[in-house]
Amino acid sequence: MGILDLFCFCCCGREEEPEKSPLISETLLYFDREVKRKRAEEANLWNEPLDPSHTERDDDRELYNLLHRRAKTRRGSEGYRRLSFDIGALRQVRKDVKGRWRMILENLGFSNEADALLTVTSNTSYKNLKNPSEALRLLTALSQETSIFEQHCSPPERYLFVLDRLVLLDVGAHFVSMAKQYYPLGSEEPSERDPEEPTAVLVTQSPEGTKAGEGVQDSSLEVDEDSFMVNQME
């Protein structure tokens, strides 16, 4: 075998390696799409995890319609900014509820586990509930005897799964008791004490360093949400 034949053989062998690249790229794209989908779901905090249409509850339908309209509106326009503000205000109500739950969990000693306990996605199944009857009883008590939820609507079903986890940890009753203490029925809502919270969704970047970084993050989230809604419409 001559030097030229050896050189050609080596070159031919190396030409086959790039065939693995498309498979790796497709895998990375798949995981990237899944991360963005979960980010969009968590940001919107759907009340009914197993409602793929996100329209069974009135507040879910309202948020879905706003996101649907914004996804079809030119980014940066006045209409887009108005829709972003409305989306932020509606979503802030849900963040306030989640914040109350997190505060109680932290007071119960679950500071490090709070996020995991509160995480509920569309992949969550009713089949995984261990104590559905007790969890439902506690959810009803929270709805009727505390102000931890918005009073104008029924309690979000997502918290049925959270309470089921707390029952397994033997702190379900303690959570309800503490909720009655911190958020008694008829008390002033935290969102009313801090009316500036809904403006947390930024539509322009701040000239200051820290706030500018937050603006970039929120802007990226809006892009992910719009992509999510476009996929839902297709």
Side-chain angles (χ1 to χ4, degrees):
M1 179 181 296
I3 296 178
L4 182 60
D5 294 334
L6 179 61
F7 176 79
C8 294
F9 176 79
C10 293
C11 292
C12 293
R14 291 177 181 175
E15 290 178 353
E16 298 178 358
E17 294 179 1
E19 293 182 0
K20 298 180 180 180
S21 298
L23 178 60
I24 296 176
S25 299
E26 291 177 3
T27 302
L28 292 177
L29 286 174
Y30 169 78
F31 283 112
D32 183 61
R33 286 194 299 268
E34 283 297 297
V35 168
K36 290 181 178 179
R37 180 184 66 82
K38 290 181 179 180
R39 282 185 63 197
E41 281 192 341
E42 181 60 23
N44 295 321
L45 299 175
W46 306 119
N47 282 325
E48 310 302 333
L50 301 186
D51 172 21
S53 67
H54 305 308
T55 57
E56 289 184 4
R57 284 173 58 106
D58 292 339
D59 50 342
D60 277 344
R61 187 182 304 110
E62 181 180 0
L63 179 56
Y64 179 89
N65 288 336
L66 287 172
L67 287 166
H68 187 279
R69 287 167 55 192
R70 193 180 69 175
K72 297 191 297 182
T73 303
R74 181 174 61 84
R75 183 173 177 80
S77 65
E78 182 179 353
Y80 190 97
R81 291 194 295 269
R82 282 200 304 265
L83 289 169
S84 293
F85 179 83
D86 292 340
I87 290 169
L90 182 59
R91 197 162 54 197
Q92 186 63 43
V93 173
R94 301 182 176 199
K95 287 183 178 180
D96 287 341
V97 173
K98 191 173 183 179
R100 296 166 205 162
W101 280 72
R102 179 179 286 106
M103 188 274 290
I104 296 177
L105 288 174
E106 290 174 352
N107 278 275
L108 285 172
F110 294 99
S111 298
N112 297 329
E113 300 83 5
D115 286 333
L117 289 170
L118 291 170
T119 297
V120 179
T121 69
S122 58
N123 295 327
T124 308
S125 173
Y126 288 102
K127 296 180 181 179
N128 296 331
L129 292 174
K130 305 300 181 182
N131 299 279
S133 299
E134 178 64 9
L136 180 59
R137 186 186 71 81
L138 295 177
L139 184 65
T140 302
L142 286 171
S143 176
Q144 297 178 351
E145 302 173 25
T146 76
S147 60
I148 196 170
F149 295 118
E150 297 299 311
Q151 297 301 308
H152 64 275
C153 60
S154 58
E157 232 174 75
R158 62 183 292 114
Y159 290 104
L160 182 69
F161 296 95
V162 179
L163 285 169
D164 185 69
R165 297 165 185 169
L166 297 182
V167 171
L168 285 176
L169 295 172
D170 198 27
V171 294
H174 294 293
F175 184 94
V176 174
S177 177
M178 191 167 289
K180 292 179 181 179
Q181 176 184 349
Y182 283 105
Y183 303 103
L185 192 63
S187 64
E188 182 183 6
E189 293 292 333
S191 58
E192 294 177 359
R193 294 198 299 267
D194 192 1
E196 295 182 1
E197 282 296 324
T199 61
V201 175
L202 302 179
V203 293
T204 58
Q205 295 185 19
S206 169
E208 299 180 5
T210 303
K211 292 184 179 180
E214 294 175 354
V216 172
Q217 183 178 4
D218 290 336
S219 176
S220 175
L221 181 58
E222 287 186 3
V223 173
D224 291 344
E225 288 176 346
D226 289 346
S227 300
F228 173 71
M229 291 304 302
V230 169
N231 293 332
Q232 288 286 99
M233 291 185 287
E234 291 178 349

